[in-house]
Amino acid sequence: MDCTKAIFLLLISALAGTLQAGEIRDVQVNAQEARNVASGSNSRADQAIGAAIGAGSEVRDSRINADNARNTASGSGSQAVQSIGAAQSGGQIRDVTINADNARNTASGNQSYARQDIGVASEGGTVRNSVINAHNARNTASGTGSLAIQEIGVARNGATLSGVTVNAANAINTAAGGGAPAVQRIGVVR
């Protein structure tokens, strides 16, 4: 083995010792203008940006830039779910800035459902010492069975939100259709 190859392997070994499996650390995630679209009668569009999902997964000391991210499902059985900076099922987000200004999530169609989670901890997840910017975030469901749920800086189902600043000026959640409820939660523990 030549000297260069040995140093390279040594460097990789040293770096591997500093990160854990399922960890994003000291990273800038740039997903501005990210687009996810599903169209068709049984459509479903799921988009996750800078998310920690599952026990042992962690995003820390990082910046998640998802301004203007778009997630859209259209069609009779549509469903659109967008998660930006979310910690689920035991995942952790620590010391992170989450930028999701002007993020849009839309479901349109007869059985539409739209859910947008920004800086949300659920099912034992944790968001700590972080800043959540979601000014002008929009979540919309339109159609006969519409349901629109938007949560920004929320801890639910045994999750933890600690030392978090939530900025969500002008966030709008809209449902339009027959029996369409619209639910918006900002800075809530439930």
Side-chain angles (χ1 to χ4, degrees), residues 18-113:
T18 63
L19 289 176
Q20 301 294 317
E23 182 179 53
I24 296 173
R25 184 172 58 184
D26 300 321
V27 171
Q28 183 161 316
V29 176
N30 291 317
Q32 298 95 330
E33 308 290 332
R35 300 284 187 267
N36 187 42
V37 178
S39 60
S41 61
N42 293 314
S43 290
R44 179 181 175 117
D46 291 338
Q47 179 165 268
I49 301 171
I53 302 170
S57 62
E58 182 176 43
V59 178
R60 76 176 205 206
D61 303 321
S62 297
R63 182 179 211 80
I64 300 164
N65 296 316
D67 292 332
N68 300 304
R70 303 284 187 270
N71 190 50
T72 305
S74 59
S76 60
S78 289
Q79 178 175 17
V81 178
Q82 179 162 262
S83 300
I84 300 171
Q88 303 168 354
S89 304
Q92 292 187 44
I93 292 184
R94 290 189 309 170
D95 303 309
V96 172
T97 298
I98 301 163
N99 295 315
D101 291 337
N102 299 306
R104 302 281 189 270
N105 189 52
T106 305
S108 59
N110 290 338
Q111 299 167 7
S112 290
Y113 161 80

